[in-house]
Amino acid sequence: MSKQKLSRVIYPGTFDPLTNGHLDIVNRAAGMFDEVIIAVAASPSKNTMFTLAERVFFAEQATQHLTNVSVQGFSGLLVDFAKQVSANVLIRGLRTTMDFEYEFGLTNMYRRLMPELESVFLTPADEFAFLSSTIVREVAIHGGDVDTFVPQVVAESLRKKRNI
């Protein structure tokens, strides 16, 4: 009888903000793997709308029903974070061929830096295939309704940011 290998995977991203497309990927990954860590990147080079603490909070609130999902903020190289949490699989979402080309390059770099780190690509459900954090931010900034695109906690925070 073969021994079952436990799997701890990382779903990394900036998640500025977390969208229902991201949650679709998380939900499916949670059904496939023993443990999913949503790794929220500090991304100091990006001008994020929300702080790292806010983005971690959103992910925690939106995934609290998933017992095998946890959320951690991190800064620095993703491969260093993967080593720190003893994960050897990355979950990456792909919406378009442009996403694939970008992720393919990243995967090759990760493989050079940490050969045992594998990448698993998941595509979102059709209703989320067009959705990106950038699009959500733009719609929200211009007063559009984003309630169907993001978790409630994110929609409320976007409204507050717009009214500041």
Side-chain angles (χ1 to χ4, degrees):
M1 186 174 215
S2 67
K3 205 177 209 181
Q4 185 177 1
K5 200 174 196 179
L6 294 178
S7 55
R8 175 178 292 152
V9 302
I10 299 172
Y11 179 36
T14 306
F15 306 110
D16 186 46
L18 183 74
T19 70
N20 289 337
H22 294 130
L23 291 177
D24 177 57
I25 299 291
V26 170
N27 278 301
R28 287 190 290 116
M32 297 169 64
F33 298 97
D34 296 322
E35 183 181 352
V36 177
I37 300 169
I38 301 173
V40 182
S43 299
S45 63
K46 292 184 178 180
N47 187 16
T48 58
M49 177 178 272
F50 294 102
T51 67
L52 177 60
E54 288 172 315
R55 292 179 282 130
V56 166
F57 176 75
F58 297 154
E60 288 171 339
Q61 291 298 301
T63 60
Q64 60 188 344
H65 65 287
L66 297 169
T67 59
N68 64 333
V69 173
S70 62
V71 183
Q72 291 187 44
F74 79 99
S75 60
L77 289 176
L78 178 59
V79 293
D80 292 337
F81 180 76
K83 290 174 186 173
Q84 177 188 329
V85 298
S86 301
N88 62 355
V89 176
L90 295 178
I91 298 294
R92 300 299 291 163
L94 295 179
R95 293 167 298 148
T96 66
T97 56
M98 287 174 38
D99 284 351
F100 174 78
E101 288 180 17
Y102 176 74
E103 293 297 337
F104 188 76
L106 278 180
T107 296
N108 286 326
M109 176 56 80
Y110 296 147
R111 199 172 282 141
R112 295 280 177 138
L113 297 172
M114 186 178 168
E116 64 275 20
L117 188 63
E118 293 291 343
S119 294
V120 173
F121 300 102
L122 297 175
T123 57
D126 288 345
E127 69 250 40
F128 304 121
F130 70 95
L131 199 53
S132 72
S133 294
T134 303
I135 290 171
V136 168
R137 281 194 314 271
E138 284 298 312
V139 171
I141 287 168
H142 296 289
D145 181 4
V146 295
D147 287 4
T148 60
F149 306 136
V150 296
Q152 183 179 353
V153 65
V154 174
E156 291 167 3
S157 295
L158 283 165
R159 279 192 288 279
K160 285 178 189 170
K161 288 265 186 197
R162 185 178 63 221
N163 293 328
I164 291 176

